[in-house]
Amino acid sequence: MIQLQEQWGAEHRMKDFDYNTLMSNERVLLDWLLTMERKGSAMVRNTPQKDIAGPELIEHIAYVKQSHYGPHSPVINRPNTNNVAFTNAKLGMHNDLPQYEHMPGIIFIQCVAQHPGAGGESIVTDGLFAAEELRRNHPEDFKILSSTDMYFWDKGHANYSWEMPEFYKIAKFPVIRINGDNEVVQIAVNNAIRDSHMDLPPQEVKKYYAAYKRFHNILYANAMTFKMEQGEYCYRGPLAGRDNSSCNTALHCTILSHAMLYTPRGAD
């Protein structure tokens, strides 16, 4: 019997799996899939040092979901980028690609090269856990964030031949998305592409930002921090961030069809 999703806080530690074993042992592969469904995160070690290692693993279980970045995206310092992810600046807690109407449910991050010095740590947190904490302790804030649309947008151009030459994506929906049964089904947080425009009267804006700040406080208070090593592959359904760093860490990001994740926890 498949267990329901299990929410977690700062004490959480991701379960480890071996890349080659996942590719050859179906029992371990099933354990990995169930772990991702229950916990929303897992670590894969001993990943081959090649760009297509992620897509090959994904195609072993489903298919790669294309975005305007193509089938995978090198997360490195890029000249003239419009995306803070492609710099060595700190990344706040966020989900990837909320400017899409159908956000990714599963993101795979492969560490191709890691800076040996300070900086570059990853921060992950369970958005579903934070949302339920907010609902339990601050119901009015939960109501605001689950009923008020936020705009997300991203505009840019390609850096690689497989990317869309130009793109301009816009979407809007609440930070906390609930279904007809009042269950939290998705989190959408990304200040880097959040629009300043809001469909709110001025007197309601302060209330909204107070609720949004409280939600952020809960996200960070229950986050776990770790530093990926070369050859590691981190599956992310939770929200995540990156520590401020002057290092040159190289990552590859691949998206699995979101249909594989029944309740996206929100996503680096």
Side-chain angles (χ1 to χ4, degrees):
M1 179 178 178
I2 298 178
Q3 299 179 24
L4 297 176
Q5 291 179 332
E6 302 170 9
Q7 298 171 12
W8 50 264
E11 77 291 343
H12 176 62
R13 294 296 178 267
M14 287 186 284
K15 188 172 181 178
D16 289 348
F17 294 88
D18 177 78
Y19 182 94
N20 293 319
T21 304
L22 290 175
M23 297 293 284
S24 60
N25 188 313
E26 291 191 352
R27 287 186 177 274
V28 177
L29 184 68
L30 177 60
D31 184 23
W32 176 57
L33 293 173
L34 294 178
T35 297
M36 291 195 296
E37 175 61 20
R38 287 196 297 265
K39 294 292 190 179
S41 62
M43 181 69 74
V44 177
R45 303 191 187 278
N46 302 317
T47 302
Q49 290 300 103
K50 56 182 181 180
D51 295 353
I52 61 172
E56 286 181 346
L57 177 58
I58 291 174
E59 289 168 357
H60 195 55
I61 56 174
Y63 61 91
V64 175
K65 179 180 174 66
Q66 295 273 349
S67 73
H68 54 268
Y69 293 116
H72 63 89
S73 178
V75 184
I76 57 176
N77 288 345
R78 301 186 185 186
N80 303 317
T81 183
N82 71 313
N83 191 326
V84 68
F86 302 138
T87 71
N88 60 8
K90 180 177 181 177
L91 285 178
M93 205 71 74
H94 68 281
N95 303 94
D96 287 296
L97 305 180
Q99 68 271 32
Y100 275 79
E101 182 178 355
H102 298 288
M103 289 171 54
I106 300 178
I107 299 285
F108 289 87
I109 302 292
Q110 178 188 1
C111 183
V112 178
Q114 181 61 275
H115 179 70
E121 285 81 5
S122 296
I123 308 167
V124 297
T125 192
D126 187 349
L128 300 186
F129 176 88
E132 293 302 338
E133 283 285 294
L134 188 70
R135 188 199 320 242
R136 182 164 46 251
N137 298 311
H138 306 280
E140 187 59 32
D141 289 343
F142 180 89
K143 181 179 179 181
I144 290 172
L145 295 186
S146 61
S147 62
T148 307
D149 283 338
M150 177 174 283
Y151 286 86
F152 299 93
W153 71 280
D154 193 18
K155 182 179 181 180
H157 56 82
N159 292 113
Y160 297 95
S161 60
W162 60 82
E163 296 180 343
M164 187 178 293
E166 294 183 331
F167 56 87
Y168 194 173
K169 309 290 185 181
I170 302 176
K172 71 169 185 174
F173 34 73
V175 166
I176 300 175
R177 301 173 77 172
I178 57 178
N179 62 17
D181 295 323
N182 205 31
E183 298 170 330
V184 178
V185 295
Q186 188 166 306
I187 306 299
V189 170
N190 193 322
N191 287 325
I193 58 174
R194 174 173 59 86
D195 201 331
S196 59
H197 172 77
M198 300 186 71
D199 294 328
L200 286 176
Q203 63 270 22
E204 298 297 323
V205 172
K206 285 189 176 181
K207 292 181 181 179
Y208 183 91
Y209 277 110
Y212 191 56
K213 178 63 166 63
R214 183 170 284 118
F215 185 51
H216 268 261
N217 290 344
I218 297 173
L219 289 171
Y220 278 97
N222 294 281
M224 60 172 289
T225 302
F226 60 96
K227 187 169 182 175
M228 293 181 68
E229 298 179 1
Q230 181 174 314
E232 290 184 338
Y233 214 127
C234 177
Y235 153 74
R236 292 197 297 98
L239 290 94
R242 182 180 67 203
D243 190 16
N244 189 21
S245 172
S246 59
C247 66
N248 291 309
T249 300
L251 304 171
H252 272 280
C253 175
T254 312
I255 303 171
L256 174 63
S257 164
H258 70 279
M260 283 295 298
L261 190 64
Y262 306 114
T263 309
R265 293 171 181 258
D268 187 297

